[in-house]
Amino acid sequence: MKHIQTDVLVIGAGPSGTVAASIIKKAGYNVTIVEKMKFPRFVIGESLLPRCMEALEEAGFLDAVREKSFQEKFGAKFVKDGMICDYSFGDQFTKGWTWTWQAPRAELDKTLADCCEAMDIPIHYETTVTDIRFTGSDSITTVVDKEGQNATISARFIVDGSGYGRVIPKLFGLDRPSSLPGRKALFCHMKDEKRMAVHEPNRITIVTHKPGVWIWVIPFSSGITSVGYVGDPSFFANYSGNNEEVYNALLEAEPYLADRFRGAEKIFEVRSLESWSATCDKFYGDGFVLTGNVTEFLDPIFSSGVTLATVSSQTAAHLVIRTLQGGKVDWDKEYMEHMMQGVNTFRTYVNCWYDGTLDTIFFSKNQQPEIKNMICSVLAGYVWDKENPFVKEHFRQVKKLARTLTLKQMLEEGS
């Protein structure tokens, strides 16, 4: 049986795994990545947020990503019944990056992985973790490759960035159900030949289709656009037929999209994803840390996935380095509490999106610019900035603002 010795084993070659691997490698440690899939491979999460640019920059990935000429993203537009709410990252409350990218994840993730290999970080693709045994913080991981050949990997620390694979949570029974209800997405990539006929053709747009049902429209620089419907599974059950038939019917049922995408060529068969939310009691243990979607994935709305993935791995990488150097790390405070600040902030905005609270805020005529800028910072991914009241007291501030705006509207209508 082949045996590999490394300082840090990273499980998963997505943004979470590659950011952690690069930062740890730059600190002088040997890093090995194992990845279950063959790259490039499809995954959703195609719209980034400005906060993740800081992690990509530290990892040394920005130049390589720029060379791909992905569609630049400067904000987000929300549409409902002809009303438009526009957020520009240049107006955000928090100082930081004011733009990012919209990118097919297959190409983006392959770019980041290639950067790691260029740094002499080996990536073992089509390799599945079957067992992990810990002795203190040291570990021996058993893997099997596509040929069915077993190997073992000895490591001083493991970073689990396996995403939906949730390797360590599944092996050690750490998975817990999310507090969010199960939802379903039906989506496809299409040739967007009528794109230039619409206003702001390259902007990401979120369309409110019905209460609790929304649509993402994410244009790529290639002329392809990703369009997906998200809602309770019962909503999709109202339509008969296979995925493509349901998807086509949904396009026809949305006036904002029908003309633009009627008859558009589909790049792949319509796909569905359902009940994606899961979490863990703890994001770390003796000799390992969980990063990215393997900690908790909330919902596609607000594009939080890649940001939580890259920020968690950026944070974890520094704590792993300190651990390997013999320093003390308070994993509860420095990692778990820190990450839950961001997760819980996004969770409030996700819940308030689905219960209609954010509709009241986004489409109000009375929203003050300075408050809108604070909310914009959240939408830009700066969910750790406690100088922002809409981060520090996210639930209370959002609910309070919605009540205030509703009252103002009632007074105006009654006058």
Side-chain angles (χ1 to χ4, degrees), residues 316-331:
H318 289 287
L319 300 179
V320 170
I321 292 166
R322 197 195 312 164
T323 299
L324 295 177
Q325 292 172 341
K328 291 185 178 180
V329 174
D330 185 339
W331 285 95

Side-chain angles (χ1 to χ4, degrees), residues 48-312:
L48 311 186
L49 301 181
R51 174 58 182 89
C52 76
M53 302 290 274
E54 298 176 19
L56 297 177
E57 182 177 40
E58 183 176 358
F61 296 158
L62 283 184
D63 287 343
V65 179
R66 279 194 181 99
E67 289 178 3
K68 296 297 179 179
S69 299
F70 293 129
Q71 179 62 55
E72 293 180 345
K73 173 184 175 183
F74 297 95
K77 180 167 61 174
F78 297 85
V79 175
K80 178 184 178 182
D81 297 332
M83 298 180 290
I84 295 176
C85 173
D86 202 349
Y87 283 93
S88 171
F89 296 142
D91 296 331
Q92 67 190 24
F93 171 84
T94 305
K95 291 183 179 179
W97 285 79
T98 58
W99 68 278
T100 185
W101 286 289
Q102 296 156 195
R105 282 287 302 281
E107 189 174 355
L108 173 66
D109 291 9
K110 182 66 163 59
T111 301
L112 307 187
D114 288 348
C115 286
C116 284
E117 289 191 301
M119 298 171 64
D120 293 325
I121 300 173
I123 302 179
H124 301 275
Y125 290 106
E126 299 180 276
T127 299
T128 301
V129 173
T130 59
D131 184 66
I132 302 175
R133 301 293 175 91
F134 286 97
T135 303
S137 59
D138 292 338
S139 62
I140 296 179
T141 298
T142 303
V143 299
V144 59
D145 65 18
K146 64 178 179 178
E147 306 297 336
Q149 299 297 311
N150 289 320
T152 56
I153 303 173
S154 295
R156 297 168 61 190
F157 212 97
I158 298 176
V159 176
D160 185 355
S162 57
Y164 296 120
R166 308 185 66 79
V167 170
I168 286 181
K170 288 181 177 178
L171 285 176
F172 293 94
L174 303 178
D175 266 341
R176 298 292 180 269
S178 172
S179 62
L180 296 174
R183 295 190 174 94
K184 178 178 178 177
L186 199 63
F187 55 92
C188 192
H189 286 182
M190 293 180 286
K191 286 190 176 180
D192 195 356
E193 295 180 351
K194 299 178 183 177
R195 179 188 300 182
M196 300 313 294
V198 302
H199 180 60
E200 296 184 307
N202 297 324
R203 292 288 303 280
I204 180 174
T205 304
I206 304 301
V207 182
T208 297
H209 180 64
K210 291 180 180 296
V213 181
W214 61 278
I215 310 163
W216 76 66
V217 183
I218 305 175
F220 303 135
S221 58
S222 62
I224 304 300
T225 294
S226 176
V227 180
Y229 285 71
V230 182
D232 188 272
S234 62
F235 165 76
F236 297 94
N238 293 322
Y239 292 81
S240 60
N242 58 32
N243 281 346
E244 182 165 359
E245 290 168 335
V246 172
Y247 187 80
N248 289 340
L250 288 171
L251 286 175
E252 284 295 330
E254 175 49 56
Y256 189 81
L257 302 179
D259 289 340
R260 178 173 172 181
F261 293 106
R262 183 180 295 119
E265 180 182 344
K266 296 179 176 66
I267 304 304
F268 52 72
E269 291 185 356
V270 176
R271 303 182 184 186
S272 66
L273 182 64
E274 192 167 352
S275 299
W276 48 70
S277 297
T279 188
C280 296
D281 287 335
K282 274 201 168 184
F283 297 170
Y284 68 92
D286 194 7
F288 73 87
V289 61
L290 312 179
T291 62
N293 288 353
V294 77
T295 58
E296 180 164 5
F297 179 73
L298 295 171
D299 194 89
I301 190 66
F302 307 130
S303 306
S304 62
V306 175
T307 295
L308 291 174
T310 55
V311 174
S312 65

